[in-house]
């Protein structure tokens, strides 16, 4: 790089971009909160091969996984208001579709995406919990719902945790695409800052460091949590 | 809604987009090739006994996992030539495809190292022991018994990684490489940014069909190579 | 106490049970023998509704149920009167030993927590696990796990305990400790229906031995008669394969 | 980009011994200013002018490299490209990072796209006073800077400015839907979309209006080490302007000879 | 034929073998008994270099090896004279039954393919698997899989075959078929070192029984003497636990 790195700018941008972290984390957390239960339920519909829902979730997963997120963002961001607008017009609902904060679209897009990932994650995780656990729960008089809440889900979660961690890291990274919806998250903040002084490389390095920090922290937190959840899996003393 | 939405744009976009799959395939193909080699190397480092190389390989994987592709791409696109210029090598004339392939290979390598490692670890140690106990050498045991089985385990994850790679076209476009995604952007620009929704729907249809084909292809492969594996048998 | 009539069960094409009848009196210990695939496990599972029979009736003291069309309520009622001990233990992996036993009491039976813990400790002491309350299943040997499985069943004080090959997943040396526990419980008057390959248990403890093959009961009777004087050719053939005919060492 | 097209005027250029090939980056998705057409050739007002410049400079051969405007800015700054065209306006920050030549490249009419009911809004002041919402503008687009500068000059009456991405914002549709009250556009593309008979939004010709609030000079950006190239450019563009070539191209690509209003242009 | 001297082996802190000696003559069938964790498996694995002993020597006819410092060449030489039958079979999952047997012959021993196939078929016929040449391991029952494991070992015509609990992963009913095959091979004069819990096999087939506990040989002798008249208290305690003392039915 001919003019060398502008370190003070890099540091400034780092802090500017840091102010985008709350939005990125908000999207991540909301999407996870929506996607975890739905992903789990849809995974069950696939495992139990429930007639219509199973087909639906197969097609859904295949579409979401088969197409780039940025394209999905575009489609949702542009078609949802059109659809809603048409519907509102038809039924004379007096509401302005366009006053909606774009973050809602981000919630929708990233939730839909995460659900698709988690369906597959839970599907394989549930399969690793032996059927015997459910049967044992039934045999001591628990209902299916009780068995799931108290026995199956806690065990599924442990197995699924590494993959959920993966999905979370990918989600955090993907929120950088939120700039396409004018969300003032990390990348957009850094770009606006870079635009003021034209130090793009420094801006990218700042973004790089921030994501690296956040994602490693998240990975670390998941590992710690997994260790705690796994307490019951300690190998028997040799 | 009809005011803006015109489905004919979808059907018209598809034939215009299809030829650019060539570029998508070329980039993906090269990245898979180099990335798999890198992944193999990293997996060997992770599985080896040397603590230092284990840590390097794990650290590398973490960094790659945590870096958004777009950031990595720009760091490579501008950083690599800047480094090479110090050795008197001018990479600025290289096609942007070159940098895209480097970026994807680095990422794919990190992904593959995990795929290869877990596939290797899924093979029962007894297979190796049985092989040496009938007199095979180390190399023969790996080449004839371990790897063929690990390969089958790795296939589905390999397919997934490949799918992810195919979808990164949006990235390549930011530095001007025109694959299907880039072509879609050009078509939209050609329409003065209008009817973008339809073009992107056309694009996502292509991606969707493509990913289904890849998935099916890998299922077939798995079936062919998994002769003798348990799940073939229905109890 | 428990009477089973005419159970039928198929999985797709394969018929597994084709008309099995069974009578078990209060305090009886009934052992079911039979070659692999003869439907022993399926029979037990149908009784506990882990599998839905295609046809058949169960009379449980005052309750009479159609095994194919039982309502949820009936199923719960019958499950309250039975308990199951699984071949591979099926302890709740995410719960401690004590929690494994209390789970069904507190959540299933709605017994107050303190009372439940007392019952559970009693049951665990009976199987000599007083020092393992807070251990997780993964920290126990197979024999200990199966003893927890038995304590879990006993604590529910069911009318009948169903055992599906409770020792066959154990190392030979650990088999003894589990059989010992089962004997103790049997002697206390618990009604038991046991699928096992342990001939010594059948001989020593059972009141009745039932031999199944191909989804039907081929022969049944008191153990002495059954082993010394089997009537059916199929029974004889089976016993010849399972008992080491030349194993007569004394120590 | 892999799609590079060298100048067609090699015969002329090669009369001189030393020919230097320089890379001119252009935004390949910015019709009608610059774009890659269906046959894979670069074209557009900015590109065509630069082609003419190339013809007049035998010692240079221009190689046009298509890319995105993100990459163009970084690339020209870092020296990956020697110069770039993307309908660039002059801004203070840019002038520190790029060489602006003496002579501008073209003119761009910048205005507000509004619905018919809001046709009375003529200036950014009006727009701001009305409290209207504006479609997001890509942060690296000079339109963003222009609004930003306005806001800094009028801290009491700022326009609601949001950074976004041009790829997802279809200004005319958004305005017509009511998703936003107004958007910034340049006249050329409004003309081609709405006014033109075959424009994709010609059906909206009675619903939306374009109110010009400024005509701005656009510039090629040169890498800081390319003063010589910038000087050569100046020579050539002067000749072209004298020959009214730029006026012709303006009419061809923007549907209007913007040079007629040159006198009123401030920057 | 095979003499083992003073094997020591620890895993980290835990000492598993602390000075085991063993003599096996040509044609001998030696059975090793002992409680779980006593080091039986480790002993076998050290002999075949699947585990590296910390100390010890092996004398294999004319070859004498330091078990701790054997060269690659020596290891290969000894592995050529031994074969291993694993508890959980360890068949090559990606090879057919026939390929499982020929693999070691063609690749390991460099025997021409046609000759190898002939040998392999012979060995497979001996264990009555002539109709399974092209099946994959996953398509076989446990008993069949273990028979392939034995054929794989036999085909190598090693000086000695090491068996590590070859029947303990099998369903009770399938145990018989594998023991039968082992008896046949033993009668043909194959030298065998067998870890097993099958007392009937020890009694019927072995020339010598070795009892291990805590990493040392506690007692050894001919089976009749060993079972009827064990000298050591530890041996007696073990036998009492493993043999069902009241199992005296005849059929
Ligand atoms: N869920 C199922 N789906 C299809 N077939 C089944 C299923 N469960 C059992 N079977 C079949 O039913 C038959 C009887 O099985 P069952 O487990 O009751 O036999 P078993 O007498 O318990 O044998 P074992 O001694 O091997 O446990 C077998 O042929 C088995 O393959
Ligand atoms: N790789 C290893 N790392 C650490 N400890 C080991 C390892 N292999 C075996 N051990 C320990 O060595 C001891 C002896 O094991 P070994 O398998 O030889 O016993 P065994 O006599 O074969 O028992 P079993 O009858 O249960 O098979 C055990 O306590 C075991 O935990
Ligand atoms: Mg069974
Ligand atoms: Mg062992």
């Amino acid at each position: 790089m001919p003019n060398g790195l502008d370190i003070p700018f890099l540091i400034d941008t780092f802090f500017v971009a840091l102010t985008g972290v709350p939005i990125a984390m908000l999207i991540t957390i909301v999407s996870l909160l929506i996607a975890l239960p739905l992903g789990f339920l849809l995974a069950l519909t696939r495992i139990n091969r429930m007639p219509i829902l199973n087909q639906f979730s197969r097609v859904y997963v295949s579409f979401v996984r088969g197409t780039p997120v940025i394209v999905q963002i575009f489609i949702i961001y542009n078609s949802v208001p059109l659809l809603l607008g048409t519907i509102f017009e038809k039924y004379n609902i007096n509401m302005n579709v366009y006053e909606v904060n774009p973050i809602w679209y981000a919630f929708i897009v990233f939730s839909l995406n995460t659900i698709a990932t988690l369906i597959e994650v839970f599907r394989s995780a549930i399969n690793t919990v032996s059927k015997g656990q459910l049967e044992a729960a039934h045999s001591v008089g628990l209902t299916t719902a009780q068995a799931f809440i108290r026995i199956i889900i806690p065990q599924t979660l442990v197995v699924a945790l590494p993959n959920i961690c993966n999905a979370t890291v990918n989600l955090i990274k993907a929120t950088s695409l939120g700039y396409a919806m004018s969300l003032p998250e990390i990348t957009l903040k850094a770009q606006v800052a870079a635009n003021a002084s034209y130090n793009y490389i420094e801006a990218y390095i700042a973004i790089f460091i921030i994501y690296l920090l956040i994602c490693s922290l998240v990975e670390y937190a998941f590992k710690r949590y997994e260790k705690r959840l796994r307490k019951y899996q300690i190998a028997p003393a040799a | 809604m009809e005011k803006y939405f015109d489905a004919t744009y979808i059907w018209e976009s598809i034939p215009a987009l299809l030829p650019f799959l060539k570029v998508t395939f070329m980039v993906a193909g090269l990245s898979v090739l180099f990335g798999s080699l890198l992944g193999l190397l990293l997996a060997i480092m992770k599985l080896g006994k040397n603590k230092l190389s284990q840590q390097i390989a794990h650290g590398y994987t973490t960094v790659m996992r945590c870096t958004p592709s777009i950031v990595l791409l720009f760091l490579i696109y501008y950083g690599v030539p800047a480094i090479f210029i110090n050795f008197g090598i001018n990479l600025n004339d290289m096609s942007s495809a070159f940098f895209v392939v480097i970026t994807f290979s680095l990422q794919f390598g990190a992904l593959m190292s995990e795929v290869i490692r877990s596939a290797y670890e899924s093979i029962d140690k007894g297979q190796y022991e049985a092989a040496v106990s009938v007199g095979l050498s180390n190399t023969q045991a790996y080449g004839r018994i371990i790897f063929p089985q690990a390969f089958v385990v790795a296939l589905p994850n390999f397919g997934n990684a490949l799918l992810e790679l195919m979808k990164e076209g949006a990235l390549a476009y930011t530095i001007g490489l025109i694959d299907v995604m880039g072509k879609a952007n050009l078509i939209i620009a050609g329409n003065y940014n209008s009817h973008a929704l339809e073009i992107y729907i056309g694009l996502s249809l292509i991606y969707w069909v493509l990913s289904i084909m890849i998935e099916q292809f890998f299922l077939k492969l798995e079936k062919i190579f998994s002769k003798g594996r348990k799940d073939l048998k229905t109890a | 106490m428990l009477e089973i009539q005419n159970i039928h069960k198929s999985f797709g094409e394969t018929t597994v049970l084709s008309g099995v009848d069974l009578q078990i009196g209060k305090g009886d210990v009934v052992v079911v023998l039979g070659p692999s695939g003869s439907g022993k496990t399926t029979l037990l599972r149908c009784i506990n509704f882990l599998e839905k029979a295609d046809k058949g009736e169960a009379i449980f003291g005052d309750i009479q149920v159609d095994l194919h069309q039982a309502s949820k309520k009936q199923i719960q009622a019958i499950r309250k009167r039975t308990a199951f001990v699984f071949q591979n233990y099926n302890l709740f992996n995410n719960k401690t030993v004590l929690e494994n036993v209390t789970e069904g009491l507190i959540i299933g039976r709605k017994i107050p927590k303190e009372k439940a813990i007392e019952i559970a400790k009693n049951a665990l002491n009976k199987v000599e696990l007083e020092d393992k309350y807070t251990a997780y299943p993964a920290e126990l040997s197979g024999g200990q796990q199966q003893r927890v499985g038995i304590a879990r069943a006993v604590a529910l004080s069911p009318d009948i305990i169903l055992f599906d090959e409770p020792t066959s997943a154990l190392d030979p040396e650990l088999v003894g400790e589990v059989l010992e526990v089962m004997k103790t419980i049997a002697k206390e008057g618990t009604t038991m229906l046991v699928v096992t390959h342990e001939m010594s248990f059948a001989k020593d403890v059972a009141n009745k031995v039932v031999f199944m093959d191909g989804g039907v009961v081929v022969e049944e009777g008191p153990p002495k008669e059954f082993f010394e004087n089997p009537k059916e050719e199929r029974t004889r053939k089976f016993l010849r394969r399972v008992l080491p005919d030349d194993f007569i060492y004394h120590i | 980009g892999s799609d590079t097209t060298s100048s067609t005027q090699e015969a002329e250029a090669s009369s001189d011994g030393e020919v230097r090939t320089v890379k001119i980056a252009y935004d390949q998705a910015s019709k009608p200013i610059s774009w890659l057409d269906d046959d894979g050739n670069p074209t557009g007002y900015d590109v065509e002018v630069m082609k003419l410049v190339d013809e007049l400079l035998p010692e240079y051969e221009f190689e046009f490299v298509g890319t995105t405007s993100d990459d163009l800015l970084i690339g020209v700054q870092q020296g990956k490209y020697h110069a770039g065209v993307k309908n660039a306006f002059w801004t203070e920050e840019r002038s520190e990072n790029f060489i602006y030549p003496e002579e501008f490249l073209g003119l761009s009419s910048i205005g507000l796209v509004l619905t018919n009911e809001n046709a009375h809004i003529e200036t950014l002041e009006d727009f701001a006073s009305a409290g209207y919402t504006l479609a997001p503008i890509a942060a690296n687009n000079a339109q963003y800077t222009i609004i930003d500068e306005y806001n800094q000059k009028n801290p009491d009456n700022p326009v609601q400015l949001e950074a976004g991405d041009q790829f997802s914002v279809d200004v005319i549709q958004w305005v017509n839907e009511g998703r936003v009250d107004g958007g910034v556009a340049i006249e050329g593309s409004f003309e081609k979309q709405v006014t033109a008979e075959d424009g994709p939004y010609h059906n909206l010709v009675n619903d939306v209006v374009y109110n010009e609030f400024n005509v701005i000079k656009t510039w090629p950006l040169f890498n800081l080490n390319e003063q010589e190239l910038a000087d050569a450019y100046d020579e050539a563009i002067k000749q072209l302007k004298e020959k009214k070539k730029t006026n012709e191209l303006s009419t061809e690509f923007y549907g209007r000879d913007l040079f007629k209003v040159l006198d009123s242009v401030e920057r």
Side-chain angles (χ1 to χ4, degrees), chain D residues 213-225:
Chain D
F213 61 75
N214 213 339
V215 174
I216 296 183
K217 290 175 185 166
T218 67
W219 304 82
L221 304 171
F222 290 89
N223 177 266
L224 286 174
N225 299 325

Side-chain angles (χ1 to χ4, degrees), chain D residues 250-266:
Chain D
S250 176
T251 314
E252 180 184 343
F253 285 100
Y254 299 148
R256 172 176 162 203
D257 181 4
L258 286 163
F259 285 84
K260 285 183 181 151
V261 296
L262 185 55
D263 298 340
S264 61
V265 172
E266 294 161 11

Side-chain angles (χ1 to χ4, degrees), chain A residues 152-181:
Chain A
I152 310 287
I153 293 179
Q155 294 184 41
T156 307
L157 218 49
V158 178
V159 180
L161 218 53
N163 288 324
I164 295 177
C165 172
N166 232 335
T168 308
V169 168
N170 285 336
L171 180 57
I172 294 174
K173 288 196 293 178
T175 58
S176 71
L177 297 176
Y179 73 85
M181 294 182 278

Side-chain angles (χ1 to χ4, degrees), chain A residues 94-167:
Chain A
N94 199 0
M95 206 179 118
N96 191 346
V97 208
Y98 303 111
E99 277 165 9
V100 174
N101 187 323
I103 199 154
W104 288 100
Y105 298 112
F107 292 158
I108 297 176
V109 173
F110 291 115
S111 298
L112 289 179
N113 233 281
T114 312
I115 288 171
T117 315
L118 291 186
I119 288 177
E120 294 302 296
V121 168
F122 282 127
R123 200 161 69 98
S124 57
I126 295 171
N127 278 332
T128 65
V129 178
S130 90
K131 222 177 126 221
Q133 296 285 318
L134 179 64
E135 294 182 346
H138 278 155
S139 81
V140 300
L142 269 58
T143 64
T144 305
Q146 286 169 337
F148 265 91
I149 291 168
R150 305 188 52 89
I151 310 292
I152 310 287
I153 293 179
Q155 294 184 41
T156 307
L157 218 49
V158 178
V159 180
L161 218 53
N163 288 324
I164 295 177
C165 172
N166 232 335

Side-chain angles (χ1 to χ4, degrees), chain D residues 3-263:
Chain D
D3 290 286
T4 57
T5 311
S6 45
S7 166
T8 44
Q9 303 303 323
E10 277 172 41
E12 224 174 280
S14 57
S15 57
D16 205 300
E18 282 284 298
V19 177
R20 181 165 171 239
T21 304
V22 289
K23 287 189 186 164
I24 312 293
Y26 67 95
D27 183 346
Q28 63 190 1
S30 182
K31 196 172 173 180
I33 298 137
S34 62
W35 81 96
L36 188 64
D37 72 12
D38 283 343
D39 307 324
N41 299 314
T43 184
Y45 175 88
D46 282 8
V47 173
E48 292 304 329
V49 175
M50 289 307 275
K51 282 184 187 166
L52 294 178
V53 169
D54 187 15
E55 278 176 41
L56 294 176
L57 299 179
E59 68 275 29
Y60 288 102
E61 186 186 324
F62 287 2
E63 183 187 333
F64 288 93
V65 183
T67 185
T68 55
S69 79
D70 271 338
D71 176 48
L72 185 148
L73 290 172
I74 311 177
V76 174
Q77 192 186 356
Q78 298 288 339
K80 194 160 210 128
Y81 314 119
H82 302 97
V85 289
K86 54 155 280 192
N87 204 46
F89 302 159
W90 187 92
T91 68
E92 184 70 44
E93 298 84 16
R94 278 185 188 171
S95 68
E96 286 167 18
N97 290 284
F98 303 99
I99 293 174
Y100 276 87
E102 302 283 316
E103 291 288 325
F104 66 92
L105 180 67
L107 289 168
S108 186
S109 158
I110 177 168
L112 287 166
V113 175
L114 300 158
T115 53
N116 237 335
E117 305 132 42
N118 291 326
H120 58 278
I121 305 253
E122 295 276 346
T123 62
L124 288 177
E125 284 88 359
D126 296 347
F127 190 82
S129 309
Y132 281 167
T133 53
L134 188 72
I137 308 172
N140 59 19
N141 191 323
Q143 292 171 5
Y144 184 92
T145 318
I146 286 178
I147 308 290
D148 199 34
E149 279 174 7
Y150 163 85
N151 283 349
Q152 275 160 23
K153 275 188 215 143
N154 303 279
D156 317 325
N157 188 23
V159 172
Q160 298 171 22
L161 175 60
E162 240 187 296
D165 184 42
Q166 66 193 21
F167 112 101
S168 57
V169 179
D170 182 350
V171 172
I172 292 171
Q173 183 184 322
W174 280 36
V175 169
N176 187 56
E177 280 170 31
R179 190 167 184 153
V180 289
D181 298 310
V184 178
I186 53 169
E187 186 183 27
S189 57
F190 185 86
E191 288 285 321
K192 300 275 175 180
Q193 284 184 85
V194 182
T195 320
E197 296 277 325
D198 58 347
Y201 287 141
H202 189 62
N203 56 338
L204 303 179
V205 73
N206 296 319
D207 301 333
V208 290
V209 295
Y210 171 83
N211 286 347
E212 178 177 294
F213 61 75
N214 213 339
V215 174
I216 296 183
K217 290 175 185 166
T218 67
W219 304 82
L221 304 171
F222 290 89
N223 177 266
L224 286 174
N225 299 325
E226 297 296 334
Q227 188 59 53
E228 246 174 67
L229 176 60
D231 294 342
Y233 157 87
D234 278 333
E235 287 306 310
I237 192 89
K238 266 183 214 156
Q239 294 177 37
L240 291 173
K241 282 179 185 163
E242 272 158 26
K243 285 191 239 162
K244 300 283 179 204
K245 291 280 191 209
T246 46
N247 305 51
E248 285 167 29
L249 287 172
S250 176
T251 314
E252 180 184 343
F253 285 100
Y254 299 148
R256 172 176 162 203
D257 181 4
L258 286 163
F259 285 84
K260 285 183 181 151
V261 296
L262 185 55
D263 298 340

Side-chain angles (χ1 to χ4, degrees), chain B residues 47-183:
Chain B
L47 292 166
K49 290 211 178 72
N50 188 325
K51 277 268 171 338
L52 180 67
S53 63
Q54 270 179 21
Q55 255 153 19
I56 293 175
H58 282 297
Y60 174 86
T61 309
T62 306
V63 171
M64 283 299 147
R65 257 166 60 109
C66 294
T67 312
S69 322
I70 178 81
V71 174
L72 185 66
L73 177 65
F74 270 88
L75 293 180
I76 298 290
Y77 190 45
Y78 287 102
V80 169
I83 292 166
F84 273 83
I85 211 84
N86 294 332
F87 303 104
I89 303 167
N90 180 11
L91 291 181
N92 276 326
D93 290 333
M94 296 301 290
S95 144
S96 50
F98 173 78
F99 297 98
V100 173
V101 168
I102 291 184
T103 308
F104 288 170
S105 301
L106 290 178
Q107 279 190 323
F108 197 74
L111 265 178
M112 282 313 287
S113 73
E114 284 299 290
V115 170
I116 295 170
R117 184 175 70 98
S118 61
Y120 172 81
E121 284 175 347
S122 75
I123 303 303
D124 184 17
K125 217 170 133 246
Q127 295 286 314
Y128 168 82
E129 295 183 346
V132 295
S133 84
V134 300
L136 302 201
S137 72
N138 236 343
T139 336
Q140 287 166 340
Y142 278 107
R144 301 184 55 87
I145 307 297
I146 310 288
F147 288 152
Q149 293 182 51
F151 178 68
V152 183
V153 179
L155 262 181
N157 291 323
F158 180 78
N160 277 342
L162 180 62
L163 267 181
E164 287 303 312
L165 187 59
M166 302 288 275
K167 295 191 295 179
E168 295 278 22
L171 215 58
Y173 175 73
T174 51
I175 63 168
L177 182 68
I178 300 165
D179 70 342
V180 264
M181 179 81 194
K183 180 60 182 175

